Amino acid sequence: MAHTHELFLITLFGDDKPGITSHFTAIFAEYDVNILDIGQSVIHNTLSSGFLIEVPAGTDSAEVLKELLYAGYKIGVHVKFQPVSAESYDGWVESQGKDRYIISLLGRKLTARQIAAVTRIIYDQGLNIDVISRLSGRVPLEGPAANGKASVEISVRGQARDLQAMKAAFLQTAGEQGIDIAFQKDNIYRRNRRLVCFDMDSTLIQTEVIVELARRAGVGDEVHRVTESAMRGEIDFAESFRQRIALLAGLDESVLQEVAEQLPLTEGVERLVGTLHQLGYKTAILSGGFSYFGQYLQKLLGFHYVYANELEIQDGKLTGRHLGPIVDGQKKAEYLQAIAERENITLEQVIAIGDGANDLPMLELAGLGIAFQAKPLVRENADHAISTMGLDGVLYLLGFRDRELLEA
């Protein structure tokens, strides 16, 4: 007969079927056993389950274990038990204060080579993996990989030896392996974001609207030269903006509608925005492009806010001038903060998504900044990047599973 409490780790393994957990917890209840920890996973209809139990003083642990082994024999489940020392348990309890992180892998498909590369970095940094979970749906063997979605989430704990070196290693591995790797602190904000702010051109849509307008105005080459000059740092964004829209003077207003109706939406936009709205998120377009097209997308997809540059139109023609302030990178960050204040939420609850250098201020300000199909400079300076799949990959970074989301 035991005189002090005893601790055991009970593990179950076998074909998954209804009633397994019920059978074993009933035995625990019969002997007044305390369950200190519990975990279960099912992979391809195979169950792996574990219980860390405390057998109270005065209870014969041998009787408890015998009952468990017999129950496993009747149900057809393998049962193993391992004594746990009080010192080992105390160390486990103390470890709960360690930092916890979520590492998300995204790609058209995920291979053993890719997962091995990522888990090696985790190991090298001295972090311990607690849980690995598949967020994407089940993939048929003959399913197309071109438009596939694959995502695995790895929950880790511990103190990284060098946080910046680990992030750099993830960035390099992502490029080498053709996947996206996101590294986030696991805190209360991760699934408590309330506002998502999007860039428009080359983020929500797969084009730059000013390029489309310039082509129709016959000034494509001139606009391209001004853009290149701005990229070389010869003129700033505001001046390049003024020069480019000046070249659009005289363009008929009807062209705006033609371009709007032909805007190519980015893969995953409708699924992402629809799901966000269904879940109660607020959404905003913060664009260095034009308000006409932002408002068109607002009507199409239901965005709550639109801030962009307004073209001046007189007598049905573009004047080559703009109205109001120029929406540059700093202005985007200001609008993001103003919307957050209006919605009474913290910046930690804001997600910002964009592709260009003028998106960096809002990406840095938001609690979750995501560089989407972005230029190298933006990918390197943003905390997170998605380059291998559609915009709805953002939902994986929030921890949502395919089965929880709107149909694509």
Side-chain angles (χ1 to χ4, degrees):
M1 187 73 68
H3 299 288
T4 59
H5 60 200
E6 296 178 272
L7 307 178
F8 294 92
L9 176 61
I10 310 297
T11 56
L12 315 177
F13 179 81
D15 292 339
D16 187 33
K17 63 191 76 171
I20 293 176
T21 303
S22 175
H23 275 84
F24 284 92
T25 53
I27 296 171
F28 296 149
E30 180 185 347
Y31 288 94
D32 291 325
V33 165
N34 293 323
I35 297 178
L36 304 175
D37 196 16
I38 183 172
Q40 178 173 303
S41 65
V42 177
I43 299 178
H44 199 61
N45 294 324
T46 299
L47 169 78
S48 179
S49 184
F51 303 88
L52 182 59
I53 65 169
E54 177 191 24
V55 179
T59 298
D60 187 353
S61 60
E63 283 295 317
V64 178
L65 299 175
K66 183 173 72 174
E67 286 266 12
L68 296 174
L69 290 169
Y70 183 60
Y73 170 76
K74 287 197 302 182
I75 299 172
V77 173
H78 299 287
V79 179
K80 293 179 63 177
F81 60 87
Q82 176 183 341
V84 175
S85 68
E87 293 78 14
S88 173
Y89 178 76
D90 289 342
W92 176 75
V93 171
E94 290 173 5
S95 73
Q96 70 180 342
K98 289 185 178 180
D99 291 336
R100 291 182 178 273
Y101 300 95
I102 297 293
I103 300 165
S104 305
L105 281 63
L106 293 78
R108 294 300 183 183
K109 64 177 181 178
L110 294 177
T111 67
R113 187 181 300 276
Q114 293 164 339
I115 295 174
V118 172
T119 53
R120 179 68 196 192
I121 295 170
I122 295 170
Y123 170 74
D124 289 343
Q125 287 292 327
L127 297 174
N128 191 67
I129 296 174
D130 279 340
V131 179
I132 300 178
S133 181
R134 172 176 53 84
L135 301 184
S136 50
R138 297 175 181 177
V139 181
L141 290 176
E142 302 303 322
N147 294 313
K149 298 183 183 74
S151 179
V152 167
E153 180 178 283
I154 303 175
S155 175
V156 303
R157 60 181 161 84
Q159 188 69 43
R161 295 191 174 102
D162 187 333
L163 205 57
Q164 291 306 313
M166 181 172 66
K167 289 182 178 179
F170 281 147
L171 183 63
Q172 180 179 346
T173 299
E176 292 173 349
Q177 298 291 336
I179 57 174
D180 295 317
I181 305 170
F183 176 78
Q184 306 175 59
K185 190 141 189 169
D186 191 6
N187 56 31
I188 62 172
Y189 295 112
R190 181 167 177 255
R191 290 190 66 161
N192 192 32
R193 316 286 186 187
R194 304 313 311 152
L195 168 67
V196 186
C197 296
F198 295 88
D199 173 47
M200 181 172 66
D201 295 34
S202 297
T203 299
L204 290 172
I205 56 176
Q206 293 180 301
T207 188
E208 297 284 334
V209 168
I210 196 167
V211 173
E212 299 298 326
L213 295 177
R215 286 174 182 162
R216 285 165 171 77
V219 292
D221 291 341
E222 291 89 333
V223 166
H224 179 72
R225 279 196 293 272
V226 175
T227 302
E228 289 295 306
S229 178
M231 292 179 67
R232 291 193 297 269
E234 297 169 355
I235 53 176
D236 63 16
F237 175 83
E239 179 57 29
S240 72
F241 176 78
R242 293 188 190 96
Q243 289 186 22
R244 283 180 289 178
I245 65 168
L247 292 167
L248 302 178
L251 188 65
D252 197 275
E253 182 182 8
S254 64
V255 175
L256 301 183
Q257 180 68 21
E258 293 173 14
V259 171
E261 291 175 350
Q262 297 175 28
L263 290 177
L265 294 179
T266 299
E267 177 193 348
V269 164
E270 292 163 298
R271 186 178 192 229
L272 171 60
V273 176
T275 301
L276 292 174
H277 289 165
Q278 186 185 58
L279 297 174
Y281 285 72
K282 298 294 184 179
T283 56
I285 296 175
L286 307 180
S287 174
F290 303 123
S291 58
Y292 184 97
F293 302 96
Q295 290 162 3
Y296 179 88
L297 292 176
Q298 183 179 36
K299 292 176 184 177
L300 183 68
L301 298 172
F303 289 95
H304 298 94
Y305 298 91
V306 174
Y307 291 98
N309 296 295
E310 187 174 354
L311 293 167
E312 185 182 63
I313 300 173
Q314 292 181 357
D315 300 323
K317 304 283 186 181
L318 273 62
T319 66
R321 297 184 296 272
H322 67 93
L323 301 173
I326 294 175
V327 181
D328 57 9
Q330 188 56 44
K331 207 67 182 172
K332 289 185 179 188
E334 291 174 12
Y335 285 137
L336 181 150
Q337 185 155 11
I339 297 171
E341 290 174 359
R342 178 172 176 176
E343 295 291 340
N344 196 30
I345 62 176
T346 69
L347 291 175
E348 280 290 344
Q349 293 176 283
V350 181
I351 302 169
I353 306 170
D355 74 296
N358 66 333
D359 295 312
L360 281 172
M362 73 171 183
L363 298 186
E364 293 167 357
L365 186 63
L368 179 63
I370 303 170
F372 178 73
Q373 304 288 355
K375 288 75 177 173
L377 174 68
V378 182
R379 285 202 306 272
E380 291 166 10
N381 285 278
D383 285 336
H384 310 285
I386 295 178
S387 302
T388 63
M389 65 169 60
L391 205 52
D392 53 344
V394 169
L395 294 165
Y396 294 136
L397 299 191
L398 302 181
F400 293 110
R401 302 173 187 276
D402 278 351
R403 65 172 180 263
E404 300 171 323
L405 306 178
L406 293 175
E407 289 299 319

Coordinates of all heavy atoms in Angstrom, one line a residue, residues 92 95 98-103 105 114-133 152-159 166 170 183:
W92 N 9.3 20.2 -14.4 CA 8.3 20.5 -15.4 C 7.4 21.7 -15.1 O 7.1 22.5 -16.0 CB 7.5 19.2 -15.6 CG 6.4 19.3 -16.6 CD1 6.5 19.3 -18.0 CD2 5.0 19.4 -16.3 NE1 5.2 19.4 -18.5 CE2 4.3 19.5 -17.6 CE3 4.3 19.4 -15.1 CZ2 2.9 19.5 -17.6 CZ3 2.9 19.5 -15.2 CH2 2.2 19.5 -16.4
S95 N 9.1 24.9 -15.6 CA 9.4 25.3 -17.0 C 8.2 26.0 -17.7 O 8.3 26.6 -18.8 CB 9.7 24.0 -17.8 OG 8.6 23.2 -18.0
K98 N 8.6 29.6 -19.1 CA 9.5 29.8 -20.3 C 8.7 30.4 -21.4 O 7.5 30.2 -21.6 CB 10.2 28.6 -20.7 CG 11.2 28.0 -19.7 CD 11.9 26.8 -20.3 CE 13.0 26.3 -19.4 NZ 13.8 25.2 -19.9
D99 N 9.4 31.2 -22.2 CA 8.8 31.8 -23.4 C 8.3 30.7 -24.3 O 8.9 29.6 -24.5 CB 9.9 32.6 -24.2 CG 10.3 33.9 -23.4 OD1 9.5 34.3 -22.6 OD2 11.4 34.4 -23.7
R100 N 7.2 31.0 -25.0 CA 6.6 30.1 -26.0 C 6.4 30.8 -27.3 O 6.1 32.0 -27.3 CB 5.2 29.6 -25.5 CG 5.3 28.7 -24.3 CD 4.0 28.1 -23.8 NE 4.1 27.2 -22.7 CZ 4.4 25.9 -22.8 NH1 4.5 25.4 -24.0 NH2 4.5 25.2 -21.7
Y101 N 6.7 30.1 -28.4 CA 6.6 30.6 -29.7 C 5.9 29.7 -30.6 O 5.8 28.5 -30.4 CB 8.1 30.8 -30.3 CG 8.9 31.8 -29.4 CD1 9.8 31.3 -28.5 CD2 8.8 33.2 -29.6 CE1 10.6 32.1 -27.7 CE2 9.6 34.0 -28.8 CZ 10.5 33.5 -27.9 OH 11.3 34.3 -27.1
I102 N 5.3 30.3 -31.7 CA 4.7 29.5 -32.7 C 5.5 29.7 -34.0 O 5.8 30.8 -34.4 CB 3.2 30.0 -33.0 CG1 2.4 29.8 -31.7 CG2 2.6 29.3 -34.2 CD1 2.1 28.4 -31.4
I103 N 5.9 28.6 -34.6 CA 6.6 28.6 -35.9 C 5.6 28.0 -37.0 O 5.2 26.9 -36.8 CB 7.9 27.9 -35.8 CG1 8.8 28.5 -34.8 CG2 8.6 27.8 -37.2 CD1 10.0 27.6 -34.4
L105 N 4.9 27.0 -40.9 CA 5.4 26.7 -42.2 C 4.3 26.7 -43.2 O 3.2 26.1 -43.0 CB 6.0 25.3 -42.2 CG 7.4 25.1 -41.6 CD1 7.4 25.4 -40.1 CD2 7.9 23.7 -41.8
Q114 N 12.1 20.0 -46.0 CA 11.8 21.3 -45.5 C 11.6 21.3 -44.0 O 12.1 22.1 -43.3 CB 10.6 21.8 -46.2 CG 10.8 22.1 -47.7 CD 9.5 22.2 -48.5 OE1 8.4 21.8 -48.0 NE2 9.5 22.9 -49.6
I115 N 10.8 20.3 -43.5 CA 10.5 20.2 -42.1 C 11.8 19.9 -41.3 O 12.1 20.5 -40.2 CB 9.5 19.2 -41.8 CG1 8.1 19.7 -42.4 CG2 9.3 19.0 -40.3 CD1 7.0 18.7 -42.4
A116 N 12.7 19.1 -41.9 CA 14.0 18.8 -41.2 C 14.8 20.0 -41.1 O 15.5 20.2 -40.1 CB 14.7 17.7 -42.0
A117 N 14.8 20.8 -42.1 CA 15.7 22.1 -42.1 C 15.2 23.0 -41.0 O 16.0 23.6 -40.3 CB 15.6 22.8 -43.4
V118 N 13.9 23.1 -40.9 CA 13.3 24.0 -39.9 C 13.5 23.5 -38.4 O 13.9 24.2 -37.5 CB 11.8 24.3 -40.1 CG1 11.2 25.0 -39.0 CG2 11.6 25.0 -41.4
T119 N 13.2 22.2 -38.2 CA 13.4 21.6 -36.9 C 14.9 21.6 -36.5 O 15.2 21.6 -35.3 CB 12.8 20.2 -36.8 OG1 13.3 19.4 -37.9 CG2 11.3 20.3 -37.0
R120 N 15.8 21.6 -37.4 CA 17.2 21.6 -37.1 C 17.6 23.0 -36.5 O 18.3 23.1 -35.5 CB 18.1 21.4 -38.3 CG 19.6 21.4 -38.1 CD 20.0 20.3 -37.2 NE 21.3 20.5 -36.6 CZ 22.0 19.5 -36.0 NH1 21.6 18.3 -36.0 NH2 23.2 19.8 -35.5
I121 N 17.0 24.0 -37.0 CA 17.2 25.4 -36.5 C 16.7 25.4 -35.1 O 17.3 26.0 -34.2 CB 16.6 26.4 -37.4 CG1 17.3 26.4 -38.8 CG2 16.7 27.8 -36.8 CD1 16.5 27.3 -39.8
I122 N 15.5 24.9 -34.9 CA 14.9 24.9 -33.6 C 15.8 24.2 -32.6 O 16.0 24.6 -31.5 CB 13.5 24.2 -33.6 CG1 12.5 25.0 -34.5 CG2 12.9 24.0 -32.2 CD1 11.2 24.3 -34.8
Y123 N 16.3 23.0 -33.0 CA 17.2 22.2 -32.1 C 18.5 23.0 -31.8 O 18.9 23.1 -30.7 CB 17.5 20.9 -32.8 CG 18.6 20.1 -32.1 CD1 18.4 19.5 -30.9 CD2 19.9 20.0 -32.7 CE1 19.4 18.8 -30.3 CE2 20.9 19.3 -32.1 CZ 20.7 18.7 -30.9 OH 21.7 18.0 -30.3
D124 N 19.1 23.6 -32.8 CA 20.3 24.4 -32.7 C 20.1 25.5 -31.7 O 21.1 26.0 -31.0 CB 20.8 24.9 -34.0 CG 21.4 23.8 -34.9 OD1 21.6 22.7 -34.4 OD2 21.5 24.0 -36.1
Q125 N 18.9 26.1 -31.6 CA 18.7 27.2 -30.7 C 18.3 26.8 -29.3 O 18.0 27.6 -28.4 CB 17.6 28.1 -31.3 CG 18.0 28.9 -32.5 CD 19.0 30.0 -32.1 OE1 18.9 30.5 -31.0 NE2 19.9 30.3 -33.0
G126 N 18.2 25.4 -29.1 CA 17.9 24.9 -27.7 C 16.5 25.0 -27.3 O 16.2 25.0 -26.1
L127 N 15.6 25.1 -28.3 CA 14.2 25.2 -28.1 C 13.6 23.8 -28.1 O 14.1 22.9 -28.8 CB 13.5 26.1 -29.1 CG 13.9 27.5 -29.1 CD1 13.2 28.3 -30.2 CD2 13.5 28.2 -27.8
N128 N 12.5 23.6 -27.3 CA 11.9 22.3 -27.3 C 10.5 22.3 -27.9 O 9.7 23.2 -27.7 CB 11.7 21.8 -25.8 CG 11.3 20.4 -25.7 OD1 12.0 19.5 -26.0 ND2 10.1 20.2 -25.2
I129 N 10.2 21.4 -28.8 CA 8.9 21.3 -29.5 C 7.9 20.6 -28.6 O 8.1 19.5 -28.1 CB 9.1 20.5 -30.8 CG1 10.0 21.3 -31.8 CG2 7.7 20.3 -31.5 CD1 10.3 20.5 -33.1
D130 N 6.8 21.3 -28.4 CA 5.7 20.8 -27.6 C 4.7 20.1 -28.5 O 4.2 19.0 -28.2 CB 5.0 21.9 -26.8 CG 5.8 22.3 -25.5 OD1 6.6 21.4 -25.1 OD2 5.6 23.4 -25.0
V131 N 4.2 20.8 -29.5 CA 3.2 20.3 -30.4 C 3.5 20.6 -31.8 O 3.9 21.7 -32.1 CB 1.8 20.9 -30.0 CG1 0.7 20.4 -30.9 CG2 1.5 20.7 -28.5
I132 N 3.2 19.7 -32.7 CA 3.2 19.9 -34.1 C 1.8 19.6 -34.7 O 1.3 18.5 -34.4 CB 4.2 19.0 -34.9 CG1 5.6 19.3 -34.3 CG2 4.2 19.3 -36.4 CD1 6.7 18.4 -35.0
S133 N 1.2 20.5 -35.4 CA -0.2 20.4 -35.8 C -0.3 20.8 -37.3 O 0.3 21.8 -37.7 CB -1.1 21.2 -34.9 OG -2.4 21.1 -35.3
V152 N 1.9 23.8 -41.6 CA 2.1 23.1 -40.3 C 2.5 24.1 -39.3 O 3.3 25.0 -39.6 CB 3.2 22.0 -40.5 CG1 3.7 21.5 -39.1 CG2 2.7 20.9 -41.4
E153 N 2.0 23.9 -38.1 CA 2.3 24.8 -37.0 C 3.1 24.1 -35.9 O 2.7 23.0 -35.5 CB 1.0 25.4 -36.4 CG 1.1 26.3 -35.3 CD -0.2 26.9 -34.8 OE1 -0.8 27.7 -35.5 OE2 -0.7 26.3 -33.8
I154 N 4.2 24.7 -35.5 CA 5.0 24.0 -34.5 C 5.0 25.0 -33.3 O 5.4 26.1 -33.3 CB 6.5 23.8 -35.0 CG1 6.4 23.0 -36.3 CG2 7.3 23.2 -34.0 CD1 7.8 22.9 -36.9
S155 N 4.6 24.4 -32.1 CA 4.7 25.2 -30.9 C 5.9 24.8 -30.1 O 6.2 23.6 -29.9 CB 3.4 24.8 -30.0 OG 3.5 25.5 -28.8
V156 N 6.7 25.8 -29.8 CA 8.0 25.5 -29.1 C 8.1 26.4 -27.8 O 7.4 27.4 -27.6 CB 9.2 25.8 -30.0 CG1 9.1 25.0 -31.2 CG2 9.3 27.3 -30.3
R157 N 8.9 25.9 -26.9 CA 9.2 26.7 -25.7 C 10.6 26.7 -25.3 O 11.4 25.9 -25.8 CB 8.4 26.1 -24.5 CG 8.7 24.7 -24.2 CD 7.9 24.2 -23.0 NE 7.9 22.7 -22.9 CZ 8.8 22.0 -22.3 NH1 9.8 22.6 -21.8 NH2 8.7 20.7 -22.4
G158 N 11.0 27.7 -24.5 CA 12.4 27.9 -24.1 C 12.9 29.2 -24.5 O 12.2 30.1 -25.0
Q159 N 14.2 29.4 -24.2 CA 14.9 30.7 -24.5 C 15.9 30.4 -25.6 O 16.8 29.6 -25.5 CB 15.7 31.2 -23.3 CG 16.2 32.5 -23.4 CD 15.2 33.6 -23.4 OE1 14.2 33.6 -22.7 NE2 15.3 34.6 -24.4
M166 N 18.5 33.2 -35.2 CA 17.4 32.2 -35.5 C 16.5 32.8 -36.6 O 16.2 32.1 -37.6 CB 16.6 31.8 -34.3 CG 15.5 30.8 -34.6 SD 14.7 30.2 -33.1 CE 13.9 31.6 -32.5
F170 N 15.9 31.3 -40.3 CA 14.6 31.0 -40.9 C 14.4 31.6 -42.3 O 13.9 31.1 -43.2 CB 13.5 31.4 -40.0 CG 13.2 30.5 -38.8 CD1 12.8 31.0 -37.6 CD2 13.4 29.1 -38.9 CE1 12.6 30.1 -36.5 CE2 13.2 28.2 -37.9 CZ 12.7 28.8 -36.7
F183 N 7.6 33.3 -37.5 CA 8.0 33.0 -36.1 C 7.3 34.1 -35.2 O 7.6 35.3 -35.4 CB 9.5 33.1 -36.0 CG 10.1 33.0 -34.6 CD1 10.2 31.7 -34.0 CD2 10.5 34.1 -33.9 CE1 10.7 31.6 -32.8 CE2 11.0 34.0 -32.6 CZ 11.1 32.7 -32.1

